[in-house]
Amino acid sequence: MDPNQRIARISAHLNPPNHLDQMCDDGSGLRRVGCRAKGGSPGFKVAILGAAGGIGQPLAMLMKMNPLVSLLHLYDVANAPGVTADISHMDTSAIVRGFLGQSQLEEALTGMDLVIIPAGVPRKPGMTRDDLFNINAGIVRTLSEAIAKCCPKAVVNVISNPVNSTVPIAAEVFKRAGTFDPKKLMGVTMLDVVRANTFVAEVMSLDPREVDVPVVGGHAGVTILPLLSQVKPPCSFTQKEIEYLTDRIQNGGTEVVEAKAGTGSATLSMAYAAVKFADACLRGLRGDANIVECAFVASHVTELPFFASKVRLGRCGIDEVYGVGPLNEYERMGLEKAKKELAGSIEKGVSSVKK
């Protein structure tokens, strides 16, 4: 390969070719061409919408490290070129391309297998997830409309809060577009599971990597219901420990917001949890067996249209949604509280699209 071709391949990381670029030179005698690290194995095409934000940047970095990703599209309304340039220097095989602003949104989404949405504003001290609704609801609606148009068969992971409302918003947009597939749309509640595993491990003096706590319900406050009676390995807790752990898991986000004292919310642990869930989705798409994680999905587990519980992931997205299993009295009471709160949040999301 001559030097001009090599430079063209490098530049393709930073300046994704559009239809005009593919047909003509850029003035330097070089044509931008698609690039792929030599010897890289085929993988999945992943888009991150909101890639320049507090969650988006570490999420993009971690996804660039994932060997299942062959093409990584980074979209944001600001700062996407800088994040793209930075991450493209990592010596992993995934191609990275940046997309800036509404005019490039459709190009960012075309042909994607997995779309991850951390876009929106973060929580600040004193804010509830519902306080985010008015801003983030509009963002998720706009992005969902573009997904329905450009990659309607992609698996969609929604991180943008309040997840209890934004997932129903996305579903309603997809229904209107005639593209809704309940197997493809998932609200990311993995951070609740990650926190539960960590906090239980602390109390029980275990390695958190060996702990598995099912967390059902939703992704805000009392809707987050850790099922401590179903922890693996089996653990015995005092009532005081159950109450302490449940409260800390439910308010883990607030703990970080207050500790950051106005400078941000849970971005790093959220990015870690999002990548853990995205990797599970990609392994499912690849055909790996027995990939089971918790997520907020369209569900018949309760009378609510959406609910977080364990799901088995596969080649089509969600292969199976599992029930909550046997609950103790404390958990049954928690479930009733969670459902009451969830019902309002779901309705708020649905009605915002129907207006």
Side-chain angles (χ1 to χ4, degrees):
M1 186 183 295
D2 68 36
N4 280 358
Q5 286 178 305
R6 283 201 299 272
I7 295 169
R9 282 184 176 271
I10 293 167
S11 72
H13 278 297
L14 308 181
N15 302 295
N18 59 33
H19 300 300
L20 292 175
D21 290 328
Q22 290 170 343
M23 298 300 294
C24 62
D25 291 348
D26 64 3
S28 64
L30 302 177
R31 290 197 304 167
R32 298 180 195 152
V33 295
C35 58
R36 179 88 183 101
K38 188 175 181 180
S41 59
F44 295 100
K45 299 174 183 178
V46 179
I48 300 174
L49 308 183
I55 297 169
Q57 290 195 40
L59 172 57
M61 182 185 74
L62 292 168
M63 290 305 292
K64 175 74 166 87
M65 296 166 66
N66 191 312
L68 295 179
V69 179
S70 62
L71 179 63
L72 184 62
H73 280 190
L74 306 181
Y75 169 84
D76 215 317
V77 294
N79 303 323
V83 174
T84 303
D86 198 355
I87 286 175
S88 73
H89 293 182
M90 294 168 60
D91 60 349
T92 62
S93 62
I95 302 166
V96 184
R97 291 176 178 159
F99 300 85
L100 180 65
Q102 188 74 28
S103 64
Q104 295 186 3
L105 176 58
E106 292 188 5
E107 190 180 358
L109 288 168
T110 300
M112 293 296 104
D113 300 305
L114 172 66
V115 180
I116 309 171
I117 310 178
V121 299
R123 283 177 72 194
K124 296 188 173 93
M127 288 178 75
T128 65
R129 284 184 172 83
D130 276 346
D131 291 330
L132 305 177
F133 180 85
N134 290 333
I135 299 171
N136 289 356
I139 293 170
V140 170
R141 180 173 181 169
T142 299
L143 297 177
S144 297
E145 287 167 351
I147 291 167
K149 180 179 179 181
C150 302
C151 53
K153 295 185 177 179
V155 170
V156 180
N157 289 177
V158 180
I159 298 169
S160 308
N161 276 316
V163 165
N164 295 352
S165 298
T166 54
V167 170
I169 287 171
E172 208 60 33
V173 169
F174 296 156
K175 286 174 185 175
R176 287 189 166 201
T179 65
F180 179 59
D181 182 349
K183 295 180 178 181
K184 303 282 192 180
L185 177 62
M186 309 164 203
V188 180
T189 61
M190 180 66 86
L191 182 52
D192 301 323
V193 176
V194 164
R195 285 173 174 150
N197 293 345
T198 302
F199 302 159
V200 166
E202 287 176 2
V203 168
M204 304 306 291
S205 299
L206 297 168
D207 183 337
R209 293 170 297 181
E210 297 173 358
V211 177
D212 180 25
V213 184
V215 182
V216 303
H219 184 57
V222 298
T223 71
I224 300 167
L225 183 61
L227 301 182
L228 298 173
S229 67
Q230 298 180 28
V231 172
K232 292 179 183 175
C235 298
S236 180
F237 302 101
T238 66
Q239 187 60 31
K240 189 174 181 181
E241 285 172 337
I242 291 170
E243 290 171 3
Y244 161 78
L245 285 166
T246 301
D247 180 71
R248 192 173 179 207
I249 293 162
Q250 289 178 339
N251 294 293
T254 302
E255 182 179 316
V256 176
V257 168
E258 290 176 352
K260 288 192 174 181
T263 63
S265 59
T267 52
L268 303 175
S269 54
M270 182 64 248
Y272 165 80
V275 168
K276 193 173 180 182
F277 186 72
D279 180 69
C281 290
L282 294 179
R283 285 185 288 124
L285 290 174
R286 184 174 64 177
D288 291 16
N290 301 315
I291 307 297
V292 178
E293 301 291 353
C294 292
F296 186 66
V297 299
S299 173
H300 298 291
V301 169
T302 70
E303 64 274 20
L304 299 171
F306 297 91
F307 192 80
S309 64
K310 284 192 171 186
V311 300
R312 180 164 52 83
L313 300 165
R315 290 188 184 276
C316 296
I318 298 167
D319 278 352
E320 186 175 0
V321 178
Y322 295 107
V324 296
L327 307 180
N328 61 31
E329 183 57 29
Y330 184 82
E331 291 162 350
R332 281 194 292 272
M333 289 172 59
L335 179 59
E336 292 309 309
K337 283 185 196 172
K339 288 195 294 185
K340 186 175 180 182
E341 176 96 8
L342 258 179
S345 299
I346 292 168
E347 176 54 33
K348 189 172 184 178
V350 171
S351 62
S352 74
V353 179
K354 289 185 173 177
K355 281 179 183 175

